[in-house]
Amino acid sequence: EGGSGAGVAQGLIVCHVSGEAPQMLRRIAKLTGGTLMITLADMEGNESFSPEMLGTAEEVIEERIADDDHLIIKGGKTQRCCSVLLRGANMHMLDEVDRSLHDALCAVKRTLESASVVPGGGCVESALSIYLENFATTLGSREQLAIAEFAEALLVIPKQLAVNAAQDANEIVAKLRASHNAAQSDASQAELRRTGLDCISGKIQNNLSAGIIEPALSKVKMIQFATEASITVLRIDDMIKLHPEEQQQ
């Protein structure tokens, strides 16, 4: 991709690249274990080269795919780099596939960074809502009202998921709340704490067993950022309203 010429001399691959050359060269160096060199000049002004900077690969071929020629490197020193070739009927479809693949890879990356997952489908929000409602009843101050409202606000996520899945949001949320309330009040029904919404079937199920999961780190960050944004809005006690100028008749 982006290669306009390539040659082989004494086991060395020499190619001319264009377009996104720096990014492409970094990927090749990462795959083959080579080192990028900006120039061959040394401190004395002479040109020198160290063989230790060379990378290795089992096979390097130039293959024609569709209407373009691609330089394919196989069996590099490390297997941490690969290329995904996307094909589609038009550029709009390719952009959608590229965006979906990027989102999926980012989700996997964040999951590996988090090292822990939680059930999805509104499971965490429903469980937190029930827990905070029960905790609010133990307070004898006006803080009880703020905690109860926060618990109610958490239910926006499962409600919106149900709406996006063309399901009855009120019925879905009621089932989720009943399941998580039973899980938190009865130890024999602890398995219900993993209950969430399946947007495809529109039913309540064990999302952890079904593989509907989210990175724990992302879930914590989302709740933190939403809470900070709400606090910022509540701190604004004045509003300036600018009336549009009346147009002259």
Side-chain angles (χ1 to χ4, degrees), residues 127-195:
L128 283 176
S129 177
I130 294 296
Y131 178 83
L132 291 177
E133 280 187 359
N134 296 332
F135 175 72
T137 57
T138 62
L139 302 178
S141 61
R142 58 184 180 180
E143 293 179 354
Q144 178 185 133
L145 300 177
I147 296 176
E149 290 297 325
F150 189 89
E152 181 68 22
L154 287 172
L155 297 177
V156 172
I157 299 299
K159 286 181 180 179
Q160 191 61 45
L161 288 175
V163 171
N164 293 343
Q167 302 295 330
D168 189 346
N170 295 327
E171 182 179 357
I172 293 296
V173 172
K175 291 181 179 180
L176 284 175
R177 285 171 53 83
S179 298
H180 287 283
N181 182 65
Q184 297 181 21
S185 58
D186 189 358
S188 62
Q189 300 183 11
E191 288 295 329
L192 294 177
R193 69 179 184 272
R194 303 184 180 95
T195 302

Coordinates of all heavy atoms in Angstrom, one line a residue, residues 127-195:
A127 N -28.2 -2.1 39.2 CA -27.7 -2.6 40.5 C -27.4 -1.4 41.4 O -27.7 -1.3 42.6 CB -26.6 -3.5 40.3
L128 N -26.7 -0.4 40.8 CA -26.3 0.8 41.6 C -27.5 1.6 42.0 O -27.6 2.1 43.1 CB -25.4 1.7 40.7 CG -23.9 1.3 40.6 CD1 -23.2 2.2 39.7 CD2 -23.2 1.2 41.9
S129 N -28.5 1.7 41.1 CA -29.7 2.4 41.5 C -30.4 1.8 42.7 O -30.8 2.5 43.6 CB -30.7 2.4 40.3 OG -31.9 3.0 40.6
I130 N -30.6 0.4 42.7 CA -31.2 -0.2 43.9 C -30.3 0.0 45.1 O -30.9 0.2 46.2 CB -31.4 -1.7 43.5 CG1 -32.4 -1.9 42.4 CG2 -31.8 -2.5 44.8 CD1 -33.8 -1.4 42.7
Y131 N -29.0 -0.2 45.0 CA -28.2 0.0 46.2 C -28.2 1.4 46.8 O -28.3 1.6 48.0 CB -26.7 -0.4 45.8 CG -25.7 -0.2 46.9 CD1 -25.6 -1.3 47.8 CD2 -25.0 0.9 47.1 CE1 -24.7 -1.1 48.9 CE2 -24.1 1.1 48.1 CZ -23.9 0.0 49.0 OH -23.1 0.2 50.0
L132 N -28.2 2.4 45.9 CA -28.3 3.8 46.4 C -29.6 4.1 47.0 O -29.7 4.9 47.9 CB -27.9 4.7 45.2 CG -26.5 4.7 44.8 CD1 -26.3 5.6 43.6 CD2 -25.5 5.1 45.9
E133 N -30.7 3.6 46.4 CA -32.0 3.8 47.0 C -32.1 3.2 48.4 O -32.6 3.9 49.3 CB -33.1 3.2 46.1 CG -33.5 4.0 44.9 CD -34.7 3.4 44.2 OE1 -35.2 2.4 44.6 OE2 -35.1 4.0 43.2
N134 N -31.6 2.0 48.6 CA -31.6 1.4 49.9 C -30.7 2.2 50.9 O -31.0 2.3 52.1 CB -31.1 0.0 49.8 CG -32.1 -0.9 49.0 OD1 -33.3 -0.6 49.0 ND2 -31.6 -1.9 48.4
F135 N -29.5 2.7 50.3 CA -28.6 3.5 51.2 C -29.2 4.8 51.6 O -29.0 5.3 52.7 CB -27.3 3.7 50.4 CG -26.3 4.5 51.2 CD1 -25.7 4.1 52.3 CD2 -26.1 5.8 50.7 CE1 -24.8 4.9 53.0 CE2 -25.2 6.6 51.4 CZ -24.6 6.2 52.5
A136 N -30.0 5.4 50.7 CA -30.6 6.7 51.0 C -31.6 6.6 52.1 O -31.7 7.6 52.9 CB -31.3 7.3 49.7
T137 N -32.3 5.5 52.3 CA -33.3 5.4 53.3 C -32.6 5.3 54.7 O -33.3 5.5 55.7 CB -34.1 4.1 53.1 OG1 -33.3 3.0 53.0 CG2 -34.9 4.2 51.8
T138 N -31.3 5.0 54.8 CA -30.6 5.0 56.0 C -30.2 6.3 56.5 O -29.7 6.4 57.7 CB -29.4 4.0 55.9 OG1 -28.5 4.6 55.0 CG2 -29.8 2.7 55.5
L139 N -30.3 7.4 55.7 CA -29.9 8.7 56.1 C -31.1 9.5 56.6 O -32.2 9.4 56.0 CB -29.2 9.4 54.9 CG -28.0 8.7 54.3 CD1 -27.5 9.5 53.1 CD2 -26.9 8.6 55.3
G140 N -30.8 10.3 57.6 CA -31.9 11.1 58.2 C -31.8 12.6 57.9 O -32.3 13.4 58.6
S141 N -31.0 12.9 56.8 CA -30.8 14.3 56.4 C -31.3 14.5 55.0 O -31.8 13.6 54.3 CB -29.3 14.7 56.5 OG -28.6 13.9 55.7
R142 N -31.2 15.8 54.5 CA -31.6 16.1 53.2 C -30.7 15.5 52.1 O -31.1 15.5 50.9 CB -31.7 17.6 53.0 CG -30.4 18.3 53.3 CD -30.6 19.8 53.1 NE -29.4 20.5 53.4 CZ -29.3 21.9 53.3 NH1 -30.4 22.6 53.1 NH2 -28.1 22.5 53.5
E143 N -29.6 14.9 52.5 CA -28.8 14.2 51.5 C -29.5 13.0 51.0 O -29.1 12.5 49.9 CB -27.5 13.8 52.2 CG -26.5 14.9 52.6 CD -25.3 14.4 53.3 OE1 -25.2 13.2 53.5 OE2 -24.4 15.3 53.6
Q144 N -30.5 12.5 51.7 CA -31.3 11.4 51.2 C -31.9 11.7 49.9 O -32.0 10.9 49.0 CB -32.3 11.0 52.2 CG -33.2 9.9 51.8 CD -34.3 9.6 52.8 OE1 -35.5 9.5 52.4 NE2 -34.0 9.6 54.1
L145 N -32.4 13.0 49.7 CA -33.0 13.4 48.4 C -32.1 13.4 47.3 O -32.4 12.9 46.2 CB -33.7 14.7 48.6 CG -34.7 14.9 49.7 CD1 -35.2 16.3 49.8 CD2 -35.9 13.9 49.5
A146 N -30.8 13.9 47.5 CA -29.9 13.9 46.4 C -29.4 12.5 46.0 O -29.3 12.2 44.8 CB -28.6 14.7 46.9
I147 N -29.3 11.6 47.0 CA -28.9 10.2 46.6 C -30.0 9.5 45.9 O -29.7 8.8 44.9 CB -28.4 9.5 47.9 CG1 -27.2 10.2 48.5 CG2 -28.2 8.0 47.6 CD1 -26.8 9.5 49.8
A148 N -31.2 9.8 46.3 CA -32.4 9.1 45.7 C -32.5 9.6 44.2 O -32.8 8.8 43.3 CB -33.6 9.4 46.4
E149 N -32.3 10.9 44.0 CA -32.3 11.4 42.6 C -31.2 10.9 41.8 O -31.4 10.6 40.6 CB -32.3 13.0 42.7 CG -33.6 13.6 43.2 CD -34.8 13.3 42.4 OE1 -34.6 13.2 41.1 OE2 -35.9 13.2 42.9
F150 N -30.0 10.7 42.4 CA -28.9 10.2 41.6 C -29.2 8.7 41.2 O -28.9 8.3 40.1 CB -27.6 10.2 42.5 CG -26.4 9.8 41.7 CD1 -25.6 10.8 41.1 CD2 -26.0 8.5 41.7 CE1 -24.5 10.4 40.4 CE2 -24.8 8.2 41.0 CZ -24.1 9.1 40.4
A151 N -29.8 8.0 42.1 CA -30.2 6.6 41.8 C -31.2 6.6 40.7 O -31.2 5.7 39.8 CB -30.8 5.9 43.1
E152 N -32.2 7.5 40.7 CA -33.1 7.6 39.6 C -32.5 7.9 38.3 O -32.9 7.4 37.2 CB -34.2 8.6 40.0 CG -35.3 8.7 38.9 CD -36.2 7.5 38.9 OE1 -36.3 6.7 39.8 OE2 -36.9 7.3 37.8
A153 N -31.5 8.8 38.3 CA -30.8 9.2 37.1 C -30.1 8.1 36.4 O -29.9 8.0 35.2 CB -29.9 10.4 37.4
L154 N -29.6 7.1 37.2 CA -28.8 6.0 36.7 C -29.7 5.1 35.8 O -29.2 4.4 34.9 CB -28.2 5.2 37.8 CG -27.1 5.8 38.6 CD1 -26.7 4.9 39.8 CD2 -25.8 5.9 37.7
L155 N -31.0 5.2 36.0 CA -31.9 4.3 35.2 C -32.1 4.8 33.8 O -32.8 4.2 33.0 CB -33.3 4.2 35.9 CG -33.3 3.5 37.2 CD1 -34.6 3.5 37.9 CD2 -32.7 2.1 37.1
V156 N -31.5 6.0 33.5 CA -31.6 6.5 32.1 C -30.9 5.6 31.1 O -31.4 5.4 30.0 CB -31.0 7.9 32.0 CG1 -30.9 8.4 30.6 CG2 -31.8 8.9 32.9
I157 N -29.8 5.0 31.5 CA -29.1 4.1 30.6 C -29.9 2.9 30.2 O -30.1 2.6 29.0 CB -27.8 3.7 31.2 CG1 -26.9 4.9 31.5 CG2 -27.0 2.7 30.3 CD1 -26.5 5.7 30.3
P158 N -30.5 2.1 31.1 CA -31.3 0.9 30.7 C -32.5 1.3 30.0 O -33.0 0.6 29.0 CB -31.6 0.2 32.0 CG -31.4 1.2 33.1 CD -30.3 2.0 32.6
K159 N -33.1 2.5 30.3 CA -34.3 3.0 29.6 C -34.0 3.3 28.1 O -34.7 2.9 27.2 CB -34.8 4.2 30.3 CG -35.6 4.0 31.6 CD -36.1 5.3 32.2 CE -36.8 5.0 33.5 NZ -37.3 6.3 34.1
Q160 N -32.8 4.0 27.9 CA -32.4 4.3 26.5 C -32.1 3.1 25.7 O -32.4 3.0 24.5 CB -31.3 5.3 26.6 CG -31.0 5.9 25.2 CD -32.2 6.7 24.7 OE1 -32.8 7.5 25.4 NE2 -32.5 6.5 23.4
L161 N -31.5 2.1 26.4 CA -31.2 0.8 25.7 C -32.4 0.1 25.2 O -32.5 -0.4 24.1 CB -30.4 -0.1 26.6 CG -28.9 0.3 26.9 CD1 -28.3 -0.7 27.9 CD2 -28.1 0.3 25.6
A162 N -33.4 0.1 26.1 CA -34.7 -0.5 25.8 C -35.4 0.3 24.6 O -36.0 -0.4 23.7 CB -35.6 -0.5 27.0
V163 N -35.3 1.6 24.6 CA -35.9 2.4 23.5 C -35.2 2.1 22.2 O -35.8 1.9 21.2 CB -35.9 3.9 23.9 CG1 -36.3 4.7 22.7 CG2 -36.8 4.1 25.1
N164 N -33.9 2.0 22.3 CA -33.1 1.8 21.0 C -33.4 0.4 20.5 O -33.3 0.1 19.3 CB -31.6 1.9 21.3 CG -31.2 3.3 21.6 OD1 -32.0 4.3 21.3 ND2 -30.0 3.5 22.2
A165 N -33.7 -0.6 21.4 CA -34.1 -1.9 20.9 C -35.5 -2.1 20.6 O -36.0 -3.2 20.4 CB -33.7 -2.9 22.0
A166 N -36.3 -1.0 20.6 CA -37.7 -1.0 20.3 C -38.5 -1.9 21.2 O -39.4 -2.6 20.9 CB -38.0 -1.5 18.8
Q167 N -38.2 -1.8 22.5 CA -38.8 -2.5 23.6 C -39.5 -1.5 24.5 O -39.3 -0.3 24.5 CB -37.8 -3.4 24.4 CG -37.0 -4.3 23.5 CD -37.9 -5.4 22.9 OE1 -38.9 -5.8 23.5 NE2 -37.5 -5.9 21.7
D168 N -40.4 -2.1 25.4 CA -41.1 -1.3 26.4 C -40.1 -0.9 27.5 O -39.8 -1.8 28.3 CB -42.3 -2.1 26.9 CG -43.2 -1.2 27.8 OD1 -42.8 -0.1 28.2 OD2 -44.3 -1.6 28.1
A169 N -39.7 0.3 27.5 CA -38.7 0.7 28.5 C -39.2 0.6 29.9 O -38.4 0.1 30.8 CB -38.3 2.2 28.2
N170 N -40.4 0.9 30.2 CA -40.9 0.8 31.6 C -41.0 -0.6 32.1 O -40.6 -0.9 33.2 CB -42.3 1.4 31.7 CG -42.3 2.9 31.4 OD1 -41.4 3.6 31.7 ND2 -43.4 3.4 30.8
E171 N -41.4 -1.5 31.2 CA -41.4 -2.9 31.6 C -40.0 -3.5 31.8 O -39.8 -4.3 32.8 CB -42.2 -3.7 30.6 CG -42.3 -5.2 30.9 CD -43.1 -6.0 29.9 OE1 -43.6 -5.3 28.9 OE2 -43.3 -7.2 30.0
I172 N -39.1 -3.1 30.9 CA -37.7 -3.7 31.0 C -37.1 -3.2 32.3 O -36.5 -4.0 33.0 CB -36.9 -3.2 29.8 CG1 -37.4 -3.9 28.5 CG2 -35.4 -3.6 30.0 CD1 -37.3 -5.4 28.5
V173 N -37.2 -1.9 32.6 CA -36.6 -1.3 33.8 C -37.2 -1.9 35.0 O -36.5 -2.2 36.0 CB -36.7 0.2 33.8 CG1 -36.3 0.8 35.1 CG2 -35.9 0.8 32.7
A174 N -38.5 -2.2 35.0 CA -39.2 -2.8 36.2 C -38.6 -4.2 36.4 O -38.4 -4.6 37.6 CB -40.7 -2.8 36.0
K175 N -38.4 -4.9 35.4 CA -37.9 -6.3 35.5 C -36.4 -6.3 36.0 O -36.1 -7.1 36.9 CB -38.0 -7.0 34.2 CG -39.4 -7.4 33.8 CD -39.4 -8.1 32.5 CE -40.8 -8.5 32.0 NZ -40.8 -9.2 30.7
L176 N -35.7 -5.3 35.5 CA -34.3 -5.2 36.0 C -34.2 -4.8 37.5 O -33.4 -5.4 38.2 CB -33.5 -4.2 35.1 CG -33.1 -4.6 33.7 CD1 -32.5 -3.4 33.0 CD2 -32.1 -5.7 33.8
R177 N -35.0 -3.9 37.8 CA -35.0 -3.5 39.2 C -35.5 -4.6 40.2 O -34.9 -4.8 41.3 CB -36.0 -2.2 39.4 CG -35.4 -1.0 38.9 CD -36.4 0.2 38.9 NE -37.0 0.3 40.2 CZ -36.5 1.0 41.2 NH1 -35.3 1.6 41.0 NH2 -37.1 1.1 42.3
A178 N -36.5 -5.3 39.7 CA -37.0 -6.5 40.6 C -35.9 -7.5 40.7 O -35.7 -8.1 41.8 CB -38.2 -7.1 40.0
S179 N -35.1 -7.8 39.6 CA -34.1 -8.8 39.7 C -32.9 -8.4 40.6 O -32.5 -9.2 41.4 CB -33.6 -9.1 38.3 OG -34.6 -9.6 37.4
H180 N -32.5 -7.2 40.5 CA -31.4 -6.7 41.3 C -31.8 -6.5 42.7 O -30.9 -6.6 43.6 CB -30.8 -5.4 40.7 CG -30.0 -5.7 39.4 ND1 -28.7 -6.2 39.4 CD2 -30.4 -5.5 38.1 CE1 -28.3 -6.3 38.2 NE2 -29.3 -5.9 37.3
N181 N -33.0 -6.1 43.0 CA -33.5 -6.0 44.3 C -33.5 -7.4 45.0 O -33.1 -7.5 46.2 CB -34.9 -5.4 44.4 CG -35.4 -5.2 45.8 OD1 -34.8 -4.4 46.6 ND2 -36.4 -5.9 46.1
A182 N -33.9 -8.4 44.3 CA -33.9 -9.7 44.8 C -32.5 -10.2 45.1 O -32.2 -10.9 46.1 CB -34.7 -10.7 43.9
A183 N -31.6 -9.9 44.2 CA -30.2 -10.3 44.3 C -29.5 -9.7 45.5 O -28.7 -10.3 46.2 CB -29.4 -10.0 43.0
Q184 N -29.8 -8.4 45.8 CA -29.2 -7.7 46.9 C -29.9 -8.0 48.3 O -29.2 -7.8 49.3 CB -29.2 -6.2 46.6 CG -28.4 -5.8 45.4 CD -28.4 -4.3 45.2 OE1 -28.6 -3.5 46.1 NE2 -28.1 -3.9 44.0
S185 N -31.1 -8.5 48.3 CA -31.8 -8.7 49.5 C -31.8 -10.2 49.9 O -32.0 -10.5 51.1 CB -33.2 -8.2 49.4 OG -33.9 -8.8 48.3
D186 N -31.7 -11.1 48.9 CA -31.8 -12.5 49.1 C -30.5 -13.2 48.6 O -30.2 -13.1 47.4 CB -33.0 -13.1 48.5 CG -33.2 -14.6 48.8 OD1 -32.4 -15.1 49.6 OD2 -34.2 -15.2 48.4
A187 N -29.7 -13.8 49.5 CA -28.4 -14.4 49.2 C -28.6 -15.6 48.3 O -27.7 -15.9 47.5 CB -27.7 -14.8 50.4
S188 N -29.8 -16.2 48.3 CA -30.0 -17.4 47.5 C -30.2 -17.1 46.0 O -30.2 -17.9 45.2 CB -31.2 -18.2 48.0 OG -32.4 -17.4 48.0
Q189 N -30.5 -15.8 45.7 CA -30.7 -15.3 44.4 C -29.6 -14.4 43.9 O -29.8 -13.5 43.1 CB -32.1 -14.6 44.3 CG -33.3 -15.5 44.6 CD -34.6 -14.8 44.5 OE1 -34.6 -13.7 43.9 NE2 -35.6 -15.4 44.9
A190 N -28.4 -14.7 44.4 CA -27.3 -13.8 44.1 C -26.9 -13.9 42.6 O -26.3 -12.9 42.1 CB -26.0 -14.3 44.9
E191 N -27.3 -14.9 41.9 CA -27.0 -15.0 40.4 C -27.7 -13.9 39.6 O -27.3 -13.6 38.5 CB -27.4 -16.4 39.9 CG -26.5 -17.5 40.3 CD -25.1 -17.3 39.8 OE1 -24.9 -16.8 38.7 OE2 -24.1 -17.7 40.5
L192 N -28.8 -13.4 40.2 CA -29.5 -12.3 39.5 C -28.8 -11.0 39.4 O -29.2 -10.1 38.7 CB -30.9 -12.1 40.2 CG -31.9 -13.3 40.1 CD1 -33.1 -13.0 40.9 CD2 -32.2 -13.7 38.7
R193 N -27.7 -10.9 40.1 CA -27.0 -9.6 40.1 C -26.3 -9.4 38.7 O -25.8 -8.3 38.5 CB -25.9 -9.6 41.2 CG -24.7 -10.6 41.0 CD -23.8 -10.4 42.1 NE -22.6 -11.3 42.0 CZ -22.5 -12.6 42.4 NH1 -23.5 -13.1 43.0 NH2 -21.4 -13.3 42.2
R194 N -26.2 -10.4 37.9 CA -25.6 -10.3 36.6 C -26.7 -10.1 35.5 O -26.4 -10.2 34.3 CB -24.8 -11.5 36.2 CG -23.7 -11.8 37.2 CD -22.8 -13.0 36.7 NE -21.8 -13.3 37.7 CZ -21.8 -14.2 38.6 NH1 -22.9 -14.9 38.8 NH2 -20.8 -14.4 39.5
T195 N -27.9 -9.8 35.9 CA -29.0 -9.7 35.0 C -29.0 -8.3 34.2 O -28.7 -7.3 34.8 CB -30.4 -9.7 35.7 OG1 -30.4 -11.0 36.4 CG2 -31.5 -9.7 34.7

